Amino acid sequence: MGPVTISRRFDFSASHRYYRDDWSEEENRRVFGLCALPNGHGHNYTLEVAVSGEPDPATGMVINLVDLKSAVEGVLVDFDHKHLNLDTPWFTDRQPTTENLAAVLWDRIADTLAGATLSRLRLYEADDLYVDYFGATA
Ligand code: NI
């Protein structure tokens, strides 16, 4: 049997603001638009976590879904109902865009999945907007 990819969805909510202190107010508004407004805004995110591997012959599972659920929820608790700029330490040197958030989540989640291979994160910021991230390439 070849490798199989299994995915599970998780929901969380967070707020953010796109803004660079080294740019003028006008430049921030030109590049980031409404996302640069002073008090930020929120999103209901959906995260799809995909894990790949050969199913264990004894269990038929690529990963025990109970373990996957607890690992990912243990990471998301640090993001859920937080202001990403103000309440988390990961966006002091980068914008809390969906792209950067996916990369941060990848590093956190990959660290918690002992023995399983994280193969893709798909992070929805809205129903019609999502990013795919497959980890660092080099
Ligand atoms: Ni936004």
Side-chain angles (χ1 to χ4, degrees):
M1 185 171 181
V4 179
T5 300
I6 185 164
S7 302
R8 195 183 192 291
R9 287 186 163 204
F10 300 86
D11 296 312
F12 66 100
S13 302
S15 53
H16 63 184
R17 181 192 188 200
Y18 300 167
Y19 194 85
R20 290 191 64 100
D21 289 331
D22 57 337
W23 290 359
S24 69
E25 193 67 35
E26 294 69 29
E27 185 71 352
N28 274 288
R29 285 300 298 268
R30 188 183 69 77
V31 174
F32 296 129
L34 293 174
C35 295
L37 285 171
N39 295 319
H41 62 274
H43 294 282
N44 294 317
Y45 291 97
T46 296
L47 177 67
E48 293 179 4
V49 179
V51 176
S52 297
E54 297 264 348
D56 184 298
T59 64
M61 298 175 180
V62 171
I63 184 173
N64 187 307
L65 291 176
V66 174
D67 296 339
L68 177 63
K69 185 171 188 281
S70 66
V72 175
E73 287 179 349
V75 169
L76 291 182
V77 71
D78 290 337
F79 299 83
D80 191 27
H81 286 72
K82 301 288 178 66
H83 192 299
L84 297 174
N85 307 67
L86 303 175
D87 302 327
T88 81
W90 295 289
F91 301 99
T92 55
D93 61 349
R94 55 188 150 180
Q95 299 301 316
T97 58
T98 314
E99 296 92 319
N100 283 337
L101 179 54
V104 168
L105 288 169
W106 177 284
D107 291 341
R108 300 284 319 283
I109 291 169
D111 281 348
T112 68
L113 293 179
T117 302
L118 187 59
S119 60
R120 187 194 73 190
L121 289 185
R122 175 167 287 179
L123 180 62
Y124 287 83
E125 186 186 88
D127 287 345
D128 59 355
L129 177 65
Y130 63 85
V131 301
D132 286 325
Y133 188 61
F134 303 91
T137 51

